[in-house]
């Protein structure tokens, strides 16, 4: 099996579109979709929530992701955190006033890394950071690698990450300017850009158009209308955590202590490259289904992009283990579902009943041509290249670091009950993992909106 | 045999000058290549398809500078492969021709996956993930995207003639883009001429 190969960028088009230049195409390639999203009466307590609206895709309700996403990471550049807190909050409130909290406007999520809490507010952090009672560990854990990660995956140490989401690039550009150029409280460390969707009403999707325009290998093999590079719809509503489920407090996994971080959540940010040629030239459609979803899924019509993954379609650890022993492989969704879906009906902190099979993580991942970032303060460390490469900036909200770690370990066949579906890392039988390569990772805490600016600095 | 391709753009610019560049002129197997293809047809005692055009810089001279594989099985099936390898990192051009006399089903290929200390063996169709057809006079070929063995990473066209299966494939790798490789394969298909066994 030849799963590595020398590769090149084809043609002058790719060179011309390299680096940030490729993003200038975004607005030309896909106009903002028409949405029927109601503007919220007030800002929610949670920073990570945004009403995205849904469409029907092949008979399945699918959340329409924002066309454009960007993450800016930074370190704190000032010593007077209380002044900085005021400055940042004023700037954020100005953005809140200028743009509605929906994809037609702008969603801003400010997340803080462990280095911020340890270096800048250590005493307050010790007193107020939430504790994961299920794991017996802090809710925000140091970033770690996973079995299928390459050895050179970089574990980052940013103080802060700001996630900007909108259907309009100019809104994101304005927000980045307001928070990072106009203020002098941060030292930017990276800018990460990307896109998703745009093809739900037929024709070519934005990721497909962007990949073709950039000339990345395998771009021509992406199916028309594909929400993301890999050809399957990943934002079906039943596959994303509903409402407040990813809040620290909702499922009872996390002890909030003082309650300072109530309405907050955990965010994991990583960058992965995707070998599209290997995906489309080495895995036929049936095998792409088996490996993306689960073994035994043999009745999916050729060319289907939206494969139902509702609570009734969910795998269990027992089924997963049985299918693994029968087929020698486990599917991406099936393995993660062993920990990412509720294994029994659960009543949330606010009384909401979440049925068995409900998804917990709220993903906000988006495709990118960054290699690995659009910009970095340290090109050598990050191995920055201007040659576009197909990839994902993976952004996901979970109640805690441990909850994310459980899901990610399950993706490598390490199940929450200790069962190990023993496959060497990155083998073909691991499906997705064999064509993904993680370059960077970091865990963050997302405070509630009321404490989004330099959390704990006022105490 | 190997040759060096200087650069992608140079290769593309020279495409029109490639041997048999009049592509599609199906007057007969080019004189310089004919002997080898005739010998193959005679050896397997079945018709073979000779191209009259090849993507630059390849030619289709069996026994020539670009021949990479010349293999005839006990069942008379054959694989003839031509390869130009870009030693300076400029890419490869790799085209395979296959024939399976007297059988039309998609052949099976063995898969071997090393999972740690375990070797997992399986069987799969050698050509899979059909995506439409390509046509040439007398030929309706199915386009396959996921192929095995020497055709792995290739786009492959397969068609049936006279109770036999034939294929031509090209490796998806620069200097040619995927779109150019599909174009090359369509042009190759249109350039094919039958060489029948003599005697």
């Amino acid at each position: 099996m030849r799963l590595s190969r020398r590769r090149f960028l084809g043609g002058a088009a790719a060179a011309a579109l390299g680096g940030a230049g490729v993003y200038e195409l975004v607005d030309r390639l896909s106009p903002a979709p028409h949405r029927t999203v109601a503007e919220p009466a007030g800002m929610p307590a949670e920073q990570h929530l945004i009403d995205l609206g849904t469409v029907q895709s092949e008979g399945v309700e699918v959340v329409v992701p924002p066309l454009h996403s960007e993450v800016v990471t930074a370190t704190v550049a000032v010593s007077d955190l209380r002044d900085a807190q005021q400055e940042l909050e004023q700037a954020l409130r100005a953005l809140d006033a200028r743009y509605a909290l929906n994809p037609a406007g702008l969603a801003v999520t400010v997340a803080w890394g462990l280095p911020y809490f340890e270096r800048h507010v250590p005493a307050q952090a010790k007193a107020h950071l939430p504790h994961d009672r299920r794991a017996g560990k802090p809710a925000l854990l140091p970033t770690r690698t996973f079995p299928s990660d390459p050895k050179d995956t970089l574990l980052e140490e940013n103080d802060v990450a700001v996630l900007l989401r909108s259907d309009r690039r100019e809104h994101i550009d304005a927000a980045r300017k307001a928070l990072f150029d106009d203020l002098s409280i941060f030292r930017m460390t990276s800018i990460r850009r990307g896109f998703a969707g745009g093809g739900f009403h037929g024709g070519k999707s934005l990721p497909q158009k962007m990949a073709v325009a950039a000339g990345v290998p395998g771009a021509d093999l992406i199916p028309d209308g594909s929400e993301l590079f890999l050809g399957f719809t990943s934002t079906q509503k039943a596959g994303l955590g509903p409402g407040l489920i990813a809040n620290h407090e909702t499922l009872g996994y996390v002890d909030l202590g003082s309650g300072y971080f109530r309405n907050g959540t955990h965010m994991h940010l990583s960058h992965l490259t995707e070998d599209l040629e290997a995906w489309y030239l080495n895995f036929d459609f049936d095998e792409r289904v088996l490996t993306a979803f689960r073994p035994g899924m043999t009745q999916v019509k050729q060319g289907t992009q939206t494969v139902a993954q509702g609570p009734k379609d969910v795998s269990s650890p027992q089924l997963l283990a049985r299918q693994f022993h029968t087929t020698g492989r486990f599917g991406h969704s099936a393995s993660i579902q062993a920990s990412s879906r509720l294994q029994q009906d659960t009543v949330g902190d606010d009384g909401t009943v979440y049925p068995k099979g409900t998804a917990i993580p709220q993903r906000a991942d988006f495709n990118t041509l960054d290699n690995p970032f659009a910009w970095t303060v340290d090109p050598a460390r990050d191995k920055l290249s201007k040659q576009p490469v197909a990839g994902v900036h993976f952004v996901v909200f979970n109640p805690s670091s441990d909850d994310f770690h459980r899901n990610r370990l399950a993706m490598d066949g390490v199940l929450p009950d200790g069962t190990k579906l023993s496959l060497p890392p990155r083998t073909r039988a691991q499906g997705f993992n064999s064509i993904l390569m993680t370059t960077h990772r970091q865990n963050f805490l997302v405070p509630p909106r009321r404490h989004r600016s330099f959390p704990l600095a006022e105490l | 045999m190997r040759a060096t391709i200087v650069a992608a753009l140079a290769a593309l610019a020279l495409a029109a000058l490639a041997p048999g560049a009049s592509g599609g002129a199906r007057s007969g197997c080019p004189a310089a290549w004919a002997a080898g293809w005739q010998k193959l047809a005679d050896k397997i005692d079945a018709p073979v398809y000779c191209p009259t055009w090849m993507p630059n810089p390849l030619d289709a001279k069996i026994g020539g500078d670009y021949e990479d594989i010349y293999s005839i099985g006990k069942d008379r099936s054959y694989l003839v492969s031509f390869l130009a390898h870009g030693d300076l990192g400029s890419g490869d051009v790799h085209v395979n021709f296959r024939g399976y006399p007297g059988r039309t089903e998609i052949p099976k290929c063995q898969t071997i996956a090393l999972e740690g200390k375990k070797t997992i063996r399986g069987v799969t169709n050698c050509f899979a993930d059909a995506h439409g057809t390509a046509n040439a006079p007398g030929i309706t070929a199915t386009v396959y995207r996921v192929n095995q063995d020497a055709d792995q990473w290739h786009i492959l066209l397969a068609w049936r003639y006279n109770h036999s299966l034939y294929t031509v494939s090209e490796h998806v790798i620069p200097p040619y883009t995927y779109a150019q490789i599909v174009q090359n394969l369509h042009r190759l298909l249109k350039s094919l001429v039958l060489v029948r066994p003599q005697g």
Side-chain angles (χ1 to χ4, degrees):
Chain A
M1 198 57 55
R2 287 180 288 168
L3 281 176
S4 65
R5 59 182 292 191
R6 185 173 30 168
R7 54 184 61 253
F8 312 82
L9 270 176
L17 293 171
V22 75
Y23 291 100
E24 293 170 8
L25 281 169
V26 164
D27 285 325
R28 276 193 281 147
L29 289 177
S30 195
H34 175 72
R35 292 181 183 271
T36 54
V37 177
E39 192 167 335
M43 304 290 275
E46 290 76 14
Q47 282 196 77
H48 58 289
L49 296 183
I50 173 174
D51 185 0
L52 292 169
T54 62
V55 295
Q56 289 290 316
S57 171
E58 297 174 303
V60 178
E61 188 174 13
V62 169
V63 172
V64 181
L67 278 181
H68 312 297
S69 296
E70 180 169 311
V71 177
V72 183
T73 60
T75 53
V76 173
V78 292
S79 54
D80 187 338
L81 296 191
R82 292 189 180 185
D83 277 357
Q85 188 180 51
Q86 296 299 318
E87 277 189 66
L88 177 59
E89 188 56 28
Q90 281 175 18
L92 289 167
R93 288 188 184 193
L95 290 172
D96 291 343
R98 186 171 169 191
Y99 301 110
L101 180 60
N102 60 42
L106 176 73
V108 182
T109 306
V110 187
W112 298 85
L114 202 51
Y116 165 77
F117 293 108
E118 290 180 337
R119 287 198 289 250
H120 296 282
V121 287
Q124 301 97 310
K126 196 172 179 184
H128 295 281
L129 279 181
H131 190 78
D132 187 333
R133 58 166 72 96
R134 182 178 60 162
K137 297 173 183 172
L140 177 61
L141 292 171
T143 309
R144 56 163 290 177
T145 56
F146 298 92
S148 62
D149 284 345
K151 285 183 179 159
D152 59 355
T153 299
L154 271 172
L155 303 181
E156 297 184 87
E157 295 195 343
N158 297 293
D159 284 334
V160 65
V162 179
L163 169 64
L164 304 167
R165 293 179 281 178
S166 178
D167 285 342
R168 298 184 182 281
R169 266 230 62 91
E170 63 269 27
H171 294 183
I172 290 174
D173 292 341
R176 185 180 62 257
K177 180 176 181 299
L179 300 178
F180 293 96
D181 295 344
D182 297 348
L183 301 181
S184 303
I185 54 178
F186 293 126
R187 177 172 172 265
M188 275 198 296
T189 52
S190 74
I191 301 174
R192 312 165 193 213
R193 295 184 176 128
F195 39 80
F200 290 115
H201 300 291
K204 294 186 186 302
S205 67
L206 184 55
Q208 187 184 15
K209 290 177 191 171
M210 293 294 291
V212 169
V216 296
D220 293 292
L221 300 162
I222 300 169
D224 280 356
S226 175
E227 182 188 30
L228 293 167
F229 290 151
L230 295 184
F232 294 115
T233 306
S234 84
T235 61
Q236 58 184 281
K237 192 173 180 184
L240 300 176
L244 309 182
I245 198 168
N247 284 21
H248 292 310
E249 67 276 10
T250 299
L251 295 176
Y253 300 162
V254 174
D255 177 358
L256 288 172
S258 67
Y260 187 95
F261 287 96
R262 176 175 285 278
N263 307 113
T265 189
H266 174 275
M267 181 177 100
H268 182 79
L269 170 67
S270 55
H271 170 261
L272 304 84
T273 60
E274 296 178 339
D275 188 341
L276 301 185
E277 274 191 352
W279 182 237
Y280 288 110
L281 291 180
N282 284 305
F283 294 82
D284 63 24
F285 178 80
D286 290 341
E287 192 175 4
R288 292 201 296 273
V289 170
L290 297 181
T291 196
F293 299 98
R294 69 167 187 266
M297 194 174 248
T298 55
Q299 303 302 319
V300 178
K301 185 182 163 195
Q302 292 282 316
T304 301
Q305 293 183 15
T306 307
V307 179
Q309 290 291 288
K312 290 176 184 170
D313 306 304
V314 167
S315 187
S316 67
Q318 295 75 23
L319 177 62
L320 184 66
R322 201 163 57 241
Q323 288 179 326
F324 173 71
H325 290 303
T326 308
T327 65
R329 67 163 80 221
F330 49 82
H332 173 76
S333 294
S335 61
I336 293 177
Q337 284 165 359
S339 66
S340 71
R341 300 295 185 106
L342 290 176
Q343 298 300 311
Q344 64 275 319
D345 293 354
T346 304
V347 181
D349 173 69
D350 62 353
T352 303
V353 177
Y354 297 99
K356 178 182 176 181
T358 301
I360 302 167
Q362 294 174 332
R363 287 186 293 100
D365 50 306
F366 49 96
N367 274 146
T368 185
L369 295 165
D370 291 349
N371 191 4
F373 305 142
W375 175 86
T376 169
V377 71
D378 193 342
R381 183 202 62 180
D382 291 322
K383 298 178 183 168
L384 184 74
S385 169
K386 286 186 175 176
Q387 285 196 331
V389 66
V392 180
H393 288 302
F394 189 77
V395 180
V396 64
F397 302 108
N398 291 72
S400 66
S401 293
D402 176 72
D403 194 59
F404 169 73
H405 293 174
R406 285 169 188 248
N407 296 347
R408 184 58 188 78
L409 282 167
M411 182 174 157
D412 285 343
V414 182
L415 304 187
D417 65 359
T419 303
K420 284 188 183 176
L421 309 180
S422 187
L423 278 180
R426 308 182 49 70
T427 59
R428 183 184 179 88
Q430 282 205 6
F432 265 14
N433 288 356
S434 69
I435 58 118
L436 301 178
M437 194 82 82
T438 308
T439 67
H440 294 72
R441 291 191 179 281
Q442 189 174 357
N443 292 332
F444 295 89
L445 209 67
V446 181
R449 192 175 303 278
R450 62 185 177 278
H451 295 312
R452 61 187 169 177
S453 301
F454 291 87
L456 303 172
E458 76 281 9
L459 299 180
Chain B
M1 300 297 290
R2 296 183 167 186
T4 297
I5 309 166
V6 176
L9 289 175
L12 298 176
L14 288 169
L17 303 175
S22 57
R26 295 154 53 102
S27 53
C29 191
W33 308 346
W37 291 95
Q38 186 62 60
K39 192 175 172 187
L40 174 64
D42 294 345
K43 176 90 175 170
I44 67 168
D45 194 24
V48 300
Y49 283 89
C50 165
T52 60
W53 176 87
M54 287 286 276
N56 185 67
L58 297 180
D59 62 34
K61 183 178 180 182
I62 293 173
D65 287 347
Y66 296 106
E67 184 194 285
D68 183 49
I69 301 172
Y70 182 80
S71 168
I72 300 173
K74 289 177 183 170
D75 62 354
R76 299 187 294 139
S77 66
Y78 68 86
L79 165 62
V80 179
S81 173
F82 299 94
L83 169 68
H85 181 61
D87 289 326
L88 299 178
S90 51
D92 293 344
V93 183
H94 185 196
V95 173
N96 292 339
F97 296 90
R98 288 182 185 272
Y100 301 87
R103 51 189 274 208
T104 56
E105 71 275 19
I106 301 289
K108 299 289 184 187
C109 282
Q110 285 194 337
T111 59
I112 299 174
L114 296 174
E115 308 292 5
K117 293 176 182 172
K118 281 197 302 186
T119 301
I120 298 175
R121 295 175 189 278
V123 173
T124 190
N125 283 341
C126 294
F127 321 131
D129 227 26
H131 273 76
T133 57
N135 295 298
I139 298 175
T140 299
T142 303
V143 181
Y144 291 98
R145 283 183 175 174
V146 179
N147 306 295
Q148 307 295 326
D149 293 346
D151 297 304
Q152 195 177 21
W153 295 101
H154 288 220
I155 302 296
L156 178 142
L157 309 184
W159 67 97
R160 293 173 175 86
Y161 171 74
N162 195 27
H163 310 295
S164 299
L165 181 70
Y166 294 88
T167 74
V168 60
S169 74
E170 184 175 352
H171 192 172
V172 180
I173 189 169
Y176 292 112
T177 64
Y178 171 82
Q180 287 167 328
I181 284 159
V182 170
Q183 208 170 20
N184 285 349
L185 285 167
H186 281 253
R187 192 169 176 184
L188 264 167
L189 194 73
K190 289 192 167 103
S191 84
L192 296 176
V193 291
L194 265 181
V195 176
R196 299 178 190 281
Q198 291 177 339

